[in-house]
Amino acid sequence: MFYWLMKHLIAGPLLKGIFRPWVIGLENVPATGAVILASNHLSFIDSIFLPLVVDRHVSFLAKSDYFTRKGFKGWATKSFMIATGQIPIDRSGGKASEDSLNTGLAVLARGEILGIYPEGTRSPDGKLYRGRTGVARMILEGQVPVVPVAMVDTEKIMPIGTRLPKVGRIGIVIGKPLDFSRFEGMEGDRFILRSVTDEIMYQLHALSEQEYDDVYASSVKEKRASLSR
C-alpha cells in the first residue's frame, strides 16, 4: 500500500511533473508474469524513475547498507527504499551472493518484475561496462524472459556524489523481451552464462548508444581510487 500511495498519489505525480520523463517501448514490458528488467546504471535515480514509468510493481535488489543506517536520516533512507520497492541484499560475496540470487528468484517465483543492473554498480563516467553473470543465472534458474532497458541522461540530472538532483528531462528506452529458454538447465555452464550476459549487454549498448568498455565498472572505480590516494 505504501508503495502504491507513493507511486500514484504522492511522489510519483510530483516527480513526473518536475522531470517529465519520456519513454519509448513501454509496451515491451509484459502485462503479467515474472520478468527481469535489465538496465544500464548511470545514477541513483535510475531505481526511482524506472519503477515510476512501469505500470506494474518493480522490485530492485539494493545493498543492505541503505536499510541499516542510524538516526533520522537512516530512517528516512530506509523508508524511501521500501517505498520505491527495493529489497535489501548483502553484496559481500560468497554465501551472501547466493542469498541475493535466492532473494531475486523469490520475487520471480511470485510472478513479479525484478529490476537488475548487470554492471553491478553505477558507471563512473557514463560508459557501459562489462556485465556480471549473476543476471544470467537468475534468468536461467527462474526460467523468465529479460527486457533490456536504457536509462538516458540520468547521470546529468544526478551525478555520482551529489545529494540532490538538478531539474531536467530524463529518458527511458525499453527494448523487446529476450528469450533464453534454449539454455534451460545450463545455468551451471559458465560459458553459457557469459554468452547470455554479453547478449544482454549488446542490447543495452544498442539501446543506450553508450561507449562500451569490456572491463568491470568496479575495477575502474578501484583503479581510480588507488590513483587518487
Side-chain angles (χ1 to χ4, degrees), residues 100-122:
S100 299
L101 174 70
N102 292 333
T103 299
L105 289 174
V107 172
L108 297 172
R110 296 195 295 267
E112 299 175 3
I113 297 180
L114 180 67
I116 294 179
Y117 299 117
E119 293 167 278
T121 187
R122 283 173 287 179

Side-chain angles (χ1 to χ4, degrees), residues 25-171:
L26 189 58
E27 69 279 2
N28 291 324
V29 179
T32 60
V35 62
I36 288 175
L37 300 184
S39 173
N40 62 338
H41 198 12
L42 297 169
S43 171
F44 174 78
I45 59 174
D46 295 335
S47 300
I48 299 172
F49 282 99
L50 181 52
L52 194 61
V53 302
V54 175
D55 291 335
R56 297 173 59 193
H57 186 288
V58 180
S59 298
F60 272 94
L61 302 182
K63 60 183 180 180
S64 57
D65 293 0
Y66 288 128
F67 297 80
T68 57
R69 295 172 181 174
K70 304 296 183 181
F72 176 79
K73 185 177 180 181
W75 173 84
T77 300
K78 178 181 178 181
S79 298
F80 175 80
M81 300 302 279
I82 294 172
T84 53
Q86 303 196 48
I87 301 171
I89 59 167
D90 185 344
R91 294 181 175 177
S92 59
K95 183 179 182 300
S97 296
E98 194 68 26
D99 290 343
S100 299
L101 174 70
N102 292 333
T103 299
L105 289 174
V107 172
L108 297 172
R110 296 195 295 267
E112 299 175 3
I113 297 180
L114 180 67
I116 294 179
Y117 299 117
E119 293 167 278
T121 187
R122 283 173 287 179
S123 171
D125 51 17
K127 294 180 182 179
L128 184 69
Y129 286 95
R130 195 174 202 227
R132 295 190 175 274
T133 57
V135 62
R137 274 195 66 190
M138 211 168 286
I139 292 166
L140 299 186
E141 289 198 24
Q143 298 179 30
V144 296
V146 56
V147 174
V149 179
M151 305 301 294
V152 181
D153 290 337
T154 52
E155 83 284 9
K156 296 177 182 177
I157 301 301
M158 191 171 183
I160 292 177
T162 59
R163 294 187 176 184
L164 295 173
K166 305 173 185 176
V167 175
R169 294 199 75 182
I170 64 136

Side-chain angles (χ1 to χ4, degrees), residues 162-227:
T162 59
R163 294 187 176 184
L164 295 173
K166 305 173 185 176
V167 175
R169 294 199 75 182
I170 64 136
I172 302 173
V173 183
I174 303 174
K176 294 184 180 299
L178 304 175
D179 180 8
F180 293 105
S181 59
R182 63 190 184 276
F183 298 126
E184 183 178 340
M186 303 177 72
E187 60 271 11
D189 188 322
R190 61 189 180 92
F191 295 105
I192 293 296
L193 295 180
R194 174 45 57 193
S195 177
V196 169
T197 304
D198 287 347
E199 185 172 337
I200 293 169
M201 300 313 295
Y202 176 81
Q203 293 298 324
L204 291 181
H205 173 60
L207 292 174
S208 68
E209 298 183 350
Q210 291 169 266
E211 180 182 347
Y212 179 73
D213 195 346
D214 195 28
V215 296
Y216 292 120
S218 58
S219 299
V220 175
K221 288 183 175 181
E222 289 169 4
K223 183 176 180 181
R224 291 185 179 187
S226 64
L227 291 174

